[in-house]
Amino acid sequence: MKARLPDEFQLFASQFNLESMLFQVSMLSYSIAKNPETSHFLGETRYYSYNNRRLSVLICQTWLIDLVYDLCQLRQTGNIIISKNEVLHLVNLYNKVSNKKPNVPKDDFLLYVFGFMGEQIEVQAQSNLLQDFARENYILEEISKRESQYKIDICAVFKSITGWSPFEYSVFLMVINGLFLNNNGIASKSFLNVKIDNPLITSSNLYHIIKKYSIGVSEVKNHPLKRQVFYSLPFIETDSVYVSSNAFISLNTFAHSNYWVLRNHYNSKKSQDFINVFGKYFELYFEELLQNCLNTNEYDAIDTCGQKRADWLLTLWGQSIIVEQ
């Protein structure tokens, strides 16, 4: 039986200090996020010199997520601090690995492509995440207060879980996201000793929140979620710093944090209560959108008669449109 030889990417990466590679990849991610007007629709094209040749490399945000994960999976790494030029070559080598046809069963291939496209669309239009944040928190904080018949006091439950209100919790994550954005994805532990004239935003509070969303390299290696672990634990903790795994994922965490704090809490109790209630709230939210955007003769609720049916019938532009929420 032939031994499986490491590919060129693994051989090249194994020379360098892991922490320095994570630093540089995170900095690439944040550079793209901070300069969207100069970026390619998939990411950003850069040029670098290697072995007396000038080469180009496409830096893709979604592949950078995989790159960080695969760097954490390396069996061995060296002591050399990787340079900016060398990390571009590393990305180029990784692109070749990523371009290979995935080992996905034929029946699952469209599902695989759909999953990739779903993530890529979010990366390309990160403003959508801010809209997601506004929508989810409007549902959780406003609609839930008006519809108390569903028996969950969202704000009270949230505070019992975290110790803070949903608004305060969002402020913490917004500040943390801003710190990483301002420092290109890297925050030293001493750097978190920020001085802000606000009794809420203290170093101890920021430490508490960032620790909650952090993971060590050794934990990444064996985590059952594989690269998806960065969606719930986006910050990699080393001896001296926190490294953001990706600019997009850091913003994603901010956008969806309050919803997932509640969902994970009820999931840990083996309860469907929150998911059921949020579904009701979302129906009310959608109805509110229709009331504010359409005339009463342009939409009508479909009576489900106790069965699984579509929710709304819209009459727009001479067309009948059935909506399933």
Side-chain angles (χ1 to χ4, degrees), residues 6 9 25 41 59 73 93 263 301:
F9 158 73
V25 173
F41 70 96
I59 308 167
Q73 298 300 314
L93 295 176
R263 180 163 174 171

Side-chain angles (χ1 to χ4, degrees), residues 77-170:
T77 53
N79 298 316
I80 302 171
I81 303 299
I82 196 167
S83 68
K84 294 180 180 179
N85 200 61
E86 288 166 331
V87 82
L88 291 175
H89 184 61
L90 180 74
V91 172
N92 225 353
L93 295 176
Y94 192 73
N95 286 354
K96 295 176 183 178
V97 175
S98 300
N99 282 330
K100 292 180 181 178
K101 184 178 179 179
N103 185 23
V104 179
K106 181 174 65 175
D107 294 342
D108 295 335
F109 187 73
L110 287 178
L111 186 62
Y112 170 85
V113 173
F114 180 78
F116 172 79
M117 288 178 61
E119 184 176 60
Q120 185 61 49
I121 289 169
E122 291 286 351
V123 168
Q124 292 179 35
Q126 294 192 36
S127 60
N128 288 352
L129 290 173
L130 299 179
Q131 294 177 19
D132 291 346
F133 168 79
R135 178 175 60 249
E136 287 179 13
N137 282 278
Y138 178 73
I139 293 170
L140 291 172
E141 296 189 48
E142 297 299 325
I143 290 183
S144 70
K145 290 177 183 176
R146 300 202 301 263
E147 305 298 336
S148 58
Q149 73 266 32
Y150 293 117
K151 308 301 181 186
I152 291 183
D153 186 336
I154 292 292
C155 290
V157 172
F158 193 95
K159 192 162 188 176
S160 72
I161 300 167
T162 66
W164 293 290
S165 70
F167 173 79
E168 291 169 335
Y169 202 78
S170 296

Side-chain angles (χ1 to χ4, degrees), residues 286 290 294 298-302 310-324:
F286 190 77
L290 296 177
L294 301 178
E298 293 177 322
Y299 68 93
D300 191 30
I302 297 173
D311 299 291
W312 299 94
L313 177 64
L314 310 186
T315 306
L316 300 170
W317 313 293
Q319 304 293 320
S320 295
I321 304 169
I322 297 174
V323 177
E324 167 58 60

Side-chain angles (χ1 to χ4, degrees), residues 275-311:
I275 293 177
N276 295 338
V277 166
F278 190 83
K280 296 292 185 182
Y281 291 158
F282 195 88
E283 290 175 6
L284 295 167
Y285 165 76
F286 190 77
E287 182 177 9
E288 188 175 301
L289 285 181
L290 296 177
Q291 291 170 347
N292 282 281
C293 298
L294 301 178
N295 297 319
T296 54
N297 64 335
E298 293 177 322
Y299 68 93
D300 191 30
I302 297 173
D303 189 348
T304 63
C305 300
Q307 301 180 37
K308 290 185 177 181
R309 296 183 181 178
D311 299 291

